[in-house]
Amino acid sequence: MAERKPEASFGQGEFEVGTDGILRMAGENGARAARGAVSLQRPFLRGPLGVLRLLQLLAGAAFWITIATSKYQGPVHFALFVSVLFWLTTLGLYFLTLLGKHELVPVLGSRWLVVNVAHDLLAAALYGAATGIMIDQTQRHSYCNLKDYPLPCAYHAFLAAAVCGGLCLGLYLLSALYGCCRRCQGKQEVA
């Protein structure tokens, strides 16, 4: 069997023309590319947005876990919904960007930086509302913040959730500002 000779080289690997006339990557690189190899985007992981995303995930998890472990009712359901929704979407954005697979998202993959900024602005707005709800609930439960109050009280949980909500609001505003700065510099990529 004759050895295949590469037809061209473009920096990413060698290419060859198959018997059907289609240009393909040669050898092991071609097989890996056909499988859709996943590689970590280390610049994103070490960059400001990667760090902000991790902090958003930690603060968001603290927010919704704090609420979920307390007895809550009424408007706190909205705050819980906001925190879980944006925790999940942030997790999705983080891993799609980290693995370099944002191109797979239909329509939005080509505008990934704009999608990230829009997500962060919407998250900041809704976290602002959720934090306001938690501050209101903290004030409504302030009566049970007495030293010898015998009944269970959600005051401390609501106070902790309000602090975590404010932290999330700040983190999402920072990442939106970072994305806007990158966009103004003419960059199209997140990292």
Side-chain angles (χ1 to χ4, degrees):
M1 180 178 231
E3 184 178 335
R4 293 184 291 189
K5 293 185 179 180
E7 296 290 327
S9 178
F10 298 103
Q12 292 288 338
E14 296 179 333
F15 293 83
E16 63 185 25
V17 177
T19 56
D20 54 359
I22 297 175
L23 185 67
R24 291 190 180 90
M25 286 187 80
E28 188 178 318
N29 288 338
R32 192 178 325 135
R35 288 191 305 264
V38 176
S39 64
L40 284 178
Q41 303 299 316
R42 293 189 194 280
F44 169 73
L45 188 61
R46 294 182 189 137
L49 191 59
V51 172
L52 282 169
R53 287 281 184 244
L54 283 176
L55 292 173
Q56 290 164 356
L57 288 169
L58 290 173
F63 186 86
W64 67 263
I65 290 171
T66 302
I67 293 172
T69 57
S70 67
K71 292 189 184 254
Y72 60 91
Q73 59 186 357
V76 179
H77 286 96
F78 174 75
L80 185 62
F81 168 75
V82 166
S83 62
V84 171
L85 173 70
F86 283 104
W87 188 82
L88 290 171
T89 56
T90 301
L91 189 67
L93 287 175
Y94 179 74
F95 280 110
L96 281 172
T97 307
L98 180 64
L99 299 175
K101 293 296 183 182
H102 58 272
E103 298 92 13
L104 298 177
V105 179
V107 180
L108 304 176
S110 62
R111 297 177 178 90
W112 199 242
L113 182 60
V114 175
V115 168
N116 276 267
V117 170
H119 169 267
D120 294 339
L121 289 173
L122 184 60
L126 291 178
Y127 263 114
T131 302
I133 288 170
M134 297 314 299
I135 290 171
D136 178 62
Q137 291 298 310
T138 301
Q139 290 174 344
R140 288 179 188 237
H141 288 84
S142 64
Y143 65 88
C144 64
N145 189 25
L146 301 172
K147 184 178 180 183
D148 295 324
Y149 190 77
L151 300 174
C153 179
Y155 173 80
H156 294 290
F158 289 164
L159 181 61
V163 170
C164 289
L167 182 61
C168 286
L169 171 62
L171 289 169
Y172 280 106
L173 283 175
L174 275 175
S175 61
L177 180 65
Y178 175 75
C180 287
C181 287
R182 284 190 64 83
R183 181 76 175 152
C184 288
Q185 292 171 350
K187 304 210 172 149
Q188 299 293 324
E189 292 297 317
V190 172

